[in-house]
Amino acid sequence: MTRCRTILLAIFVLLMLSACTTSHLDPPEVAGRPALVDDAGTPRLWVLTKQEEQRQVSVRGSTLNSGRFRIDTFFHFDLQAIDPETARPLWKERLLTIGDDKAQGTRPSRVIGSSAEGRLLGQDGAVVWLLLDNEPWAVGAADGKPLANGEGLEQRNPALKGLLPSESKFYGFDRGLVLTAADARPFVIRGPDLKAVPYAPTPVPVAPPELKSNGSPRIVPLRPPIGDVPARLVELDGRRIGLYSEKEARDAADDTFGDHLRYPYSIDNEGVQARRMFWNANTVATQRFDERFDRFTDFTPVDGAPGFLNGRFVKVHGTDDAVLLDQPAGVLVWHNTRIDNRGRLAVTRLDTGLKARWTTELPISETPHSPSIGYWLLPGRLLVMGAAESLDDGVTSWKTHVVTLSLADGSSATWGLQD
């Protein structure tokens, strides 16, 4: 009988505790940029998120009827890995929770951590580096489990004791965690042992100045200072093909000195509301005084080719070049379905004859106010991450989606971060 009473009392206490605390979680928000991580030869998409939680905690007095409540606020940083083949989460690791650990009584806890930020820095073999609330973290590439934070790095590196900087601007990545210590000495931490050594920056190749065919310096047009430069020119099956609006094509053809051919980013860009079509780009070899160069002469429409709203080619990362596909040969085109906030981003695969093989609409918005869109080209697959604008009761929110597309037929799988 005594044992039964003890069990019943324990159950009663657990029920009372569960009734004393309720929790509300806001939708998670992406922190920094997602990254493709190599897990022993297998790519995984890593997404770092920040999520706010509010807990209503019962603060009881001397009698059962004198209970009162307070609100405690917490911010959680979680790391998730997504399978690029299925767009499904593989694992989730909570790295850090920030809150008021001195909260007591009935007063709401102090809101600590609302301005804390996080971002992925880079991968060094089996170690991935992050910054969480201005503190460096090393986690395992296989499972995201913490290997060391700031305190752990100081224990492994006595020379850094008390010298880790407290601001994120003093951290970077160069095949390992780069940091400027509080005494202004530069260090890099590389390898599985997480040992710090003096840092010498990796030399950055400096391109030689461009010269004209006559040997004189070439004046290079400035790139647009804001935003991405769309790829609108490609060579397909021995032809130069432009994807331009009529106004953009006229500007491209005005190429007296060959700058538009040599620097396609200098061609007029009508922006997201431009309806673009395909043009054959005709060129001619020109000699002007003692300089020889090629230049555009005119653009002629490609008969029967489709047109696209805000059409532009999917680019090779880090370049202005369009991605060229094979089996069969062709290209990928980004475009929008509408000009308003109900519009969505779409992808079309075209063959070398500019015939559409498939088109897939993504659950992602592309507006001046939308979060940035990331994409990764993998064997036989395009992985895309972005957010769709949602308007509920007059309140605008963004729902993040990861979409994996088959390059063969455009079939897709989607995972919603807030689902």
Side-chain angles (χ1 to χ4, degrees):
M1 180 65 70
T2 302
R3 184 165 178 259
C4 290
R5 289 177 178 175
T6 302
I7 293 174
L8 290 174
L9 179 60
I11 293 174
F12 175 76
V13 170
L14 288 174
L15 290 174
M16 288 296 294
L17 288 174
S18 64
C20 288
T21 302
T22 60
S23 179
H24 169 75
L25 286 167
D26 285 351
E29 298 180 352
V30 178
R33 291 181 176 274
L36 209 60
V37 170
D38 180 4
D39 176 11
T42 301
R44 307 296 191 195
L45 181 65
W46 280 26
V47 181
L48 180 66
T49 62
K50 180 182 179 181
Q51 187 173 31
E52 180 177 348
E53 178 187 9
Q54 289 191 338
R55 297 177 192 168
Q56 181 175 276
V57 180
S58 175
V59 182
R60 296 192 176 276
S62 58
T63 66
L64 291 177
N65 294 325
S66 61
R68 299 177 67 183
F69 296 90
R70 73 164 188 265
I71 301 296
D72 290 345
T73 302
F74 300 89
F75 296 90
H76 307 292
F77 283 95
D78 296 318
L79 191 60
Q80 295 191 76
I82 294 129
D83 182 359
E85 294 287 332
T86 63
R88 304 309 300 172
L90 298 169
W91 48 258
K92 183 177 181 180
E93 182 73 21
R94 174 148 297 171
L95 298 179
L96 178 66
T97 293
I98 304 173
D100 183 5
D101 56 3
K102 297 181 180 179
Q104 58 183 339
T106 58
R107 297 184 62 181
S109 67
R110 295 170 298 164
V111 179
I112 298 174
S114 62
S115 61
E117 297 180 349
R119 72 176 189 267
L120 292 161
L121 293 177
Q123 181 175 6
D124 173 28
V127 178
V128 178
W129 289 98
L130 308 88
L131 279 179
L132 298 176
D133 193 24
N134 295 304
E135 181 181 18
W137 285 67
V139 301
D143 52 16
K145 293 190 178 301
L147 302 174
N149 58 2
E151 181 180 355
L153 293 176
E154 289 188 359
Q155 291 175 355
R156 293 168 185 250
N157 299 277
L160 294 178
K161 186 69 174 178
L163 294 177
L164 285 180
S166 60
E167 297 178 66
S168 61
K169 66 181 180 180
F170 294 113
Y171 293 98
F173 187 83
D174 180 5
R175 297 178 292 119
L177 177 71
V178 174
L179 63 97
T180 302
D183 60 3
R185 289 182 297 162
F187 290 91
V188 62
I189 302 177
R190 295 190 179 117
D193 294 334
L194 307 181
K195 294 298 184 180
V197 296
Y199 174 63
T202 300
V204 178
V206 178
E210 293 192 38
L211 303 177
K212 299 180 182 179
S213 60
N214 60 10
S216 61
R218 186 184 302 283
I219 299 175
V220 179
L222 293 176
R223 293 176 65 86
I226 300 176
D228 185 41
V229 175
R232 295 172 293 165
L233 187 67
V234 69
E235 187 167 325
L236 277 179
D237 209 16
R239 300 179 299 162
R240 282 194 179 96
I241 302 294
L243 181 54
Y244 297 116
S245 68
E246 291 189 13
K247 180 181 177 182
E248 291 169 347
R250 287 196 302 270
D251 181 66
D254 184 11
D255 197 24
T256 304
F257 299 100
D259 283 348
H260 286 165
L261 175 56
R262 188 175 294 103
Y263 310 107
Y265 63 80
S266 66
I267 297 171
D268 190 21
N269 181 0
E270 284 202 282
V272 297
Q273 295 187 23
R275 287 205 60 85
R276 298 192 174 104
M277 55 188 290
F278 289 101
W279 306 78
N280 289 306
N282 304 307
T283 63
V284 65
T286 301
Q287 179 162 347
R288 185 178 178 86
F289 302 110
D290 58 348
E291 182 190 3
R292 297 182 180 86
F293 57 90
D294 292 337
R295 64 181 179 87
F296 289 130
T297 55
D298 62 278
F299 286 75
T300 56
V302 178
D303 293 335
F308 296 102
L309 174 61
N310 192 24
R312 69 274 190 205
F313 299 111
V314 176
K315 297 196 304 184
V316 177
H317 276 300
T319 75
D320 289 338
D321 300 327
V323 170
L324 297 178
L325 303 177
D326 54 16
Q327 297 180 353
V331 290
L332 293 170
V333 172
W334 299 114
H335 54 101
N336 300 116
T337 61
R338 299 168 59 105
I339 63 172
D340 55 16
N341 58 7
R342 292 172 57 191
R344 295 293 181 261
L345 181 67
V347 186
T348 294
R349 177 169 182 168
L350 303 162
D351 59 24
T352 55
L354 300 180
K355 302 298 182 183
R357 298 184 62 87
W358 52 258
T359 295
T360 301
E361 181 178 323
L362 309 180
I364 294 173
S365 304
E366 190 177 40
T367 71
H369 308 292
S370 62
S372 61
I373 296 169
Y375 70 92
W376 300 264
L377 192 67
L378 301 170
R381 193 163 296 279
L382 181 68
L383 186 65
V384 188
M385 181 171 173
E389 184 176 358
S390 176
L391 186 64
D392 298 315
D393 297 329
V395 178
T396 299
S397 61
W398 297 93
K399 296 183 177 180
T400 302
H401 299 276
V402 176
V403 185
T404 179
L405 281 168
S406 166
L407 295 179
D409 58 12
S411 58
S412 65
T414 301
W415 173 70
L417 180 67
Q418 287 84 14
D419 293 344

